[in-house]
Amino acid sequence: MAVRIQEIQVQKWGPISRFSLKPVLVNLIYGRNEQGKTFLVEFILRTLFCAGKQWRMRKETGNGRIGISGMDRQILFFPSKDNRSLNDFLDQKYPGLPPDPERLLVVKGAELDLADDRNIGVDREALKRYLSSQGILDDIENRISKTLLETRIENRRPVGPKRGEIKSLEENQERLKALDALFRRIDQEYSGGRSFLLGVRIGDLRDRFSRMESAMRYKAFLLSNELNGLREKAKALNRELCREIEAELAVYQSKCGNLAGRIEKQKEAEKASEHYPWLEKAAAFYAETVQAPGHPLSDLFLPVCAGLFMLASVLSILFRQYTIFLISLAGLFITAFIYFLLLRRKSAGRNMRDELAGLKTEFRKRFGRPCTGLPDMQAVLESLKSIYHNSRFLKDEIGREKDETEALRKSLEEKAKRLTGKPVSAQTLPAVLQERESQIQAMDERISRHSQDLAALDVDPSDFMKEDPGVPYSKREYRCLEEEIRQAERELAEEQQKLSSLKQAVCRETRDEITVSWDLLLEKFRNLRQESAGEYRTLLADILGKKTVHDVLEGLRIEEERNIREGLGSEPVLTALKTLTNRYDRMAYEDKRLTVSDENNAFDFAGLSTGAKEQVLLALRIGFAQRIFGQKEPLFLILDDAFQYSDWQRRERMVEAVFGLSRSGWQIFYFTMDDHIARLFDDRGRALGKEYIRCDLKAAD
Amino acid sequence: MKLAVTADVHLTDGKKHPERFHALGYLSDRARAEGIDQVVIAGDLFDAESRNYAEFDEFCRTQGSGIRFIILPGNHDLQIRQKHFTAENIRVLAQPEIIRFEPDDLPVLFIPYLREKGMGEVIAAHQGQLRPGGWILAGHGEWIEGMREPNPLEPGVYMPIGRNDVDLFQPAAVLLGHIHKPTDSDRIHYPGSPCPLHILETGPRRFLILETRTATVESRPLASDVLYFNESFLILPVEDEAEFIRNQIVKRIESWQMPEPDKRKIRIRVSMRGYTSDKQALAGIVAGCLKGYSFYDDSGPDLSQVSIAEDTERAEIARRVLSEIRKMPKPVNPDDPKADEILLSALHTIYGD
């Protein structure tokens, strides 16, 4: 069903106060200047196509409507209630129309160009738009970026320049990878269990360590007590007394040594001078004997005196004269004694010579040589005298030293008894002292060991513990526990650090504060990942979809080129060309140049005269319009003094071509102020009868 | 010993959601048929708003008699305690507990949902009694590896357990509640809810059987009063559009693998996207293909994302694009778009919206 304008109603539009037209097949609207012809064209354009800017129309306001049939079961009136233009309806009815069909349907005077290129009026885009798949391919491809055009797909992955969508996809993919890596980290590292285990382990180790510490404090207490006990025992060993005894013993032993030496010397001296006393007596005797006088008393005197004294004694006893008796008795004894001495001297004198001889014999015997006389004897005596006296001196000294030594011994034995509690002889004292010294040394060693052990525990006495914690102290276990706690704390710190670092990494992604709870953080992170995956999926789908479309379009483009060639060589276009130009019967578009040809030559479109160009372009328009719409349903063509610049001969051909188009069912509106053109239309129109009308505009209409 | 394991029943009022009680009934029957007399409900037996414990109490005395129900509180029913029930065959484990059902069985550590606690932390507290590789975990929480896709029905993260904890403590099997979608990975199993709660919980339901001696887990199908399918179709204005749509729908229904008698239980949500030359005809074809199926919340197929496209040339381009996209290799990366998504994007490019 053909699309036709069935009604045009205009009120108060520029100079037009009222205009009403029920169009037929061919409609000529004639009006001189200022009659509102241009206003009427603009009204139609504005009302049907909402167009204005592209035709540089005035901003007029007014009322009116245009009714179109063939679009729906009923006549559609424009402007429509929903502000849809005729293009919207045409798009529905003729899918794949070029985006500006009004360029084909409306031709204003001196605006015959199809494209914006004013030099040639037609370009490849225009040709594609009107001769191929109505520009669908380019229309679709315009939605595909240049980046994707340069991209290829390998195993569902786009490979192309690192910009645009590809760059976005790669960034998105990297981000998704990073989020997934973080997810894996969460899976691997987020663990309440490990931290909890470490916490439990540390607690357990600390308990054991605490018990071990108590054991240490208890051990320190015990060691301290033992040390005190040892010190007491050490004190009981009486180290000072021992040292004192040792010193005294040394003196004692020294003295004993000295004494022995002296005794030896004294014995030697004594032996050397053993004959000295005899010799001294012998010499004295020898001298005495040689020099002795006789006694002065008679031999009877002393017996008589003795008899008297005896008599006196008897008498005094008888007369009880005891004093006289005692005196008499004393006189008796003295007299008797003197007499006895005299008797002995007398006897000695008698033996003197014998004795001297005996002395010499004895001398020889004692000294091993004969005595030559008293001088000899006195010389020997003199030589022995110093030895003898030295011996005597030594003997005295030895006696004194023996006393001292003895005193020292007694003192030592007394101290030793004090030291050991039992009698100890000086001879056994060194052994006793040695034993005691050993005991002291052993004690010292024990004290030293205990002290070292206590010091090693490094427990302040105020921290000593008196109660047994029930576990024995083990330095090794203590150290082990200490190390294990340190190790577990390190591991826990590492675990917490790892968890904290993980949380920071997740917070960086979700832009949350580190204080946010893990539950909330994980939820947000999960949503973030989902969002990112969605973006990635959408982007990749878009790229793959567009690229696939592009590849399909590439295939279709080959067909398109063929379509352009076919379009320019199509029957409607060539017929219009031949009819309008009465010369050219072929067209071609190669190397961005449109050429027209007659039987003999080809001509560059750009080199044609203005009139010829108008004819060619009008031929293209009519041909395109027929090709696009005519194959489906014919529409209407509005020509606003489109032939005014053509010469008269061409005008006839062009009017003839327009009427030829109407014979295909196309509705024609021609607006003109040109009487010649009007006459041409009137002449041709008469043959159409009611299907041709002429409407003369008047300002008052 | 064999235990039947389910979770996330979300019981409310029996009149409001009888199908959820029925699901427990079906489970009890199946357990009896399998010779199982212990059923573990790994959290969220009750819905968050529900305090109506009497109905379940009564259920356990009647339909559930002979079965012992071991109930772990979940994040929705954190408050439930033993004192809320009178039936003797109910045991609520409101605190973590290790149970060895038979002398030769592996111990099972039951962990209810505990607010602001991690699963690993709770396991660690019992570690001394658990031999690596020689125990089973049953709890209510989230397996971090499976967390990448948010669950719209369960926003938030609850008692997560990560690979680290599993590697550290080495449970022989882990059975968790909380995620309604039946899921199995490595040692981790979610039985899923025995009755779908939302149109997004699609497909047949199941429960798990745990052999506590060997820690083996087996899946068993479970009947449900309702089954949901949420389907989306991409429409192209191809020449044989009707056949194109019909084929898609038929194939999709076949993929459900639902026996004919279960058809009445099915509730569907259908959304169409893409371009058609005749929306009315499309609606008719979809309605014809899905005749006999009930729509979730009686909404009918959603055609709001279907645009009209009468341009045969663009349709031809779309057809060629579809052909090319079908030649593409299948996506390896789960985040990669599916063929339909690529095609939809291509259609937007072709039709320019």
Side-chain angles (χ1 to χ4, degrees), chain A residues 425-484:
Chain A
S425 69
Q427 287 76 19
T428 59
L429 192 53
V432 169
L433 281 177
Q434 193 174 2
E435 187 188 343
R436 178 56 59 98
E437 196 59 42
S438 297
Q439 286 174 349
I440 289 171
Q441 198 174 347
M443 187 61 69
D444 282 350
E445 281 172 11
R446 284 183 68 190
I447 288 171
S448 171
R449 270 201 308 276
H450 273 63
S451 297
Q452 282 174 5
D453 288 349
L454 187 59
L457 292 177
D458 194 22
V459 179
D460 191 87
S462 62
D463 292 330
F464 286 171
M465 191 167 162
K466 292 177 183 174
E467 293 80 26
D468 185 354
V471 288
Y473 172 72
S474 157
K475 186 177 177 181
R476 190 169 159 274
E477 194 178 341
Y478 182 88
R479 297 279 177 239
C480 277
L481 283 171
E482 216 171 26
E483 182 52 35
E484 278 183 59

Side-chain angles (χ1 to χ4, degrees), chain A residues 232-239 242 419 436 439-440 443:
Chain A
E232 284 301 317
K233 282 182 185 173
K235 199 174 173 185
L237 288 175
N238 211 337
R239 185 190 309 268
C242 196
L419 185 68
R436 178 56 59 98
Q439 286 174 349
I440 289 171
M443 187 61 69

Side-chain angles (χ1 to χ4, degrees), chain A residues 616-678:
Chain A
V616 171
L617 288 173
L618 184 61
L620 279 174
R621 279 174 181 273
I622 291 171
F624 291 171
Q626 279 186 296
R627 184 175 165 80
I628 293 167
F629 301 108
Q631 290 171 349
K632 298 166 182 170
E633 286 152 346
L635 274 81
F636 53 84
L637 189 64
I638 298 170
L639 302 162
D640 182 11
D641 248 346
F643 312 147
Q644 63 176 316
Y645 299 112
S646 297
D647 61 34
W648 284 32
Q649 275 190 326
R650 284 191 175 122
R651 283 181 175 185
E652 281 189 25
R653 283 198 295 276
M654 291 169 92
V655 171
E656 178 54 40
V658 167
F659 273 85
L661 191 61
S662 73
R663 284 193 287 278
S664 307
W666 280 78
Q667 189 181 32
I668 307 295
F669 291 82
Y670 196 93
F671 293 77
T672 186
M673 53 176 272
D674 191 301
D675 291 333
H676 177 246
I677 292 174

